[in-house]
């Protein structure tokens, strides 16, 4: 089964996202747990959640991949920013329990002149403070393009954070194809090698979700500019190979391409046509 979807607006609630997903041929989706650039999270409306859960069950949805706000920087030098980051993540994980057993993805953050080691330690500390044995949500570290001082620019950095976290079973990776490519991994000419490398450093089974994006820029550019499937430098063939990898069977594939709803629907249709599972 191919579980595929895209980023949807959460402004009208869970049920509306579910209906929108079904309407566009999707069976998973991503959404921001709160305004991507702002602060507070809306409380969940239980009737709305119930309606959503019915839709998800009826249409055999895969796991959802919620996204933390961009303002979250777990490794900021500023203590206030780190505190917001912890509080927001703890609240979001609580809220995720309304729709249990899904994923919550976040950007490891930017160390801004503190150095990678300090950054990695702050991120691990946040996860150790926030993750609990009781939560059903698995928290995913997103692989990053390596823009500026972003942590997560290579598999070693992600692996280093993960190793320091106590609740391993609540932790995974979201593999963003645009970011991995921009950070310098050649998933076009050497996908086998890249995945072998990931397996050695982190373990391929830790990849729980994929952000499927083409890239406007060449491998190693560290730019992070997403492109529509087949219109960028990664190309449709390489992206089709990725969704067909046996290692990735059954995991949610989320499109974050520059599209409107119709554009996403077309990409979903195209990828379904090229899926051999
Ligand atoms: Fe992201
Ligand atoms: Fe992403
Ligand atoms: Zn990106």
């Amino acid at each position: 089964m191919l579980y595929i979807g895209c980023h949807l607006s959460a402004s009208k609630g869970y049920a509306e996202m579910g209906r929108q997903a079904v309407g566009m041929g999707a069976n998973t989706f991503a959404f921001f747990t709160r305004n991507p650039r702002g602060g507070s999270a809306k409380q969940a409306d239980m009737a709305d959640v119930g309606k959503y859960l019915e839709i998800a069950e009826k249409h055999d949805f895969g796991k959802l991949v919620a996204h933390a706000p961009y303002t979250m920087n777990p490794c900021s030098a500023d203590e206030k920013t780190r505190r917001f980051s912890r509080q927001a993540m703890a609240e979001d994980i609580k809220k995720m329990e309304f729709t249990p057993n899904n994923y919550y993805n976040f950007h490891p953050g930017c160390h801004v002149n503190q150095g990678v080691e300090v950054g990695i330690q702050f991120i691990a500390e946040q996860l150790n403070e926030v993750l609990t044995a009781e939560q059903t949500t698995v928290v995913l570290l997103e692989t990053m393009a390596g823009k500026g001082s972003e942590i997560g620019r290579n598999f070693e950095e992600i692996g280093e954070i993960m190793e320091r976290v106590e609740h391993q079973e609540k932790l995974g990776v979201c593999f963003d194809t645009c970011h991995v490519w921009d950070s310098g991994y050649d998933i076009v000419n050497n996908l086998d090698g890249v995945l072998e490398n990931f397996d050695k450093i982190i373990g391929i089974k830790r990849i729980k979700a994929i952000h499927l994006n083409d890239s406007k820029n060449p491998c190693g550019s560290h730019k992070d500019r997403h492109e529509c499937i087949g219109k960028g430098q990664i190309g449709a063939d390489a992206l089709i190979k990725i969704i067909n990898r046996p290692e990735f069977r059954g995991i949610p594939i989320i499109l974050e391409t520059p599209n409107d709803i119709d554009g996403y629907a077309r990409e979903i249709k195209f990828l379904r046509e090229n899926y051999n599972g």
Side-chain angles (χ1 to χ4, degrees), residues 3-4 30 61 63 71 76 80 86-87 100 108 121 125 127 151 159 197 199 209 211-212 215 230 244 250 272:
Y3 295 107
I4 187 162
F61 273 27
K63 288 185 186 292
T71 43
S76 169
K80 241 173 61 197
R86 283 170 202 201
Q87 274 167 6
Q121 186 55 26
E125 278 169 18
L127 290 166
I151 295 198
N197 188 231
D199 193 42
H211 283 170
L212 197 76
S215 172
N244 281 293
R272 286 201 186 284

Side-chain angles (χ1 to χ4, degrees), residues 7 67 70 105-107 142 144 176 179 211 256:
H7 250 278
H67 201 303
Y70 290 142
N105 168 68
F106 78 106
H107 296 177
E142 182 165 349
M144 300 309 290
D176 186 309
H179 296 176
H211 283 170
E256 300 175 308

Side-chain angles (χ1 to χ4, degrees), residues 24-45:
M24 61 201 293
N27 51 1
T28 177
F29 57 87
F31 62 100
F32 284 111
T33 47
R34 57 183 74 210
N35 184 319
R37 312 218 169 261
S40 75
K42 267 201 305 188
Q43 256 324 305
D45 161 356

Side-chain angles (χ1 to χ4, degrees), residues 16 26 47 63 80 93 119 134 145 161 195 231 236 238 247 274-275:
E16 181 55 26
K63 288 185 186 292
K80 241 173 61 197
I93 289 174
E134 293 75 36
I161 298 164
L195 294 183
K231 293 190 178 146
E247 301 94 321
N274 286 284
Y275 182 66

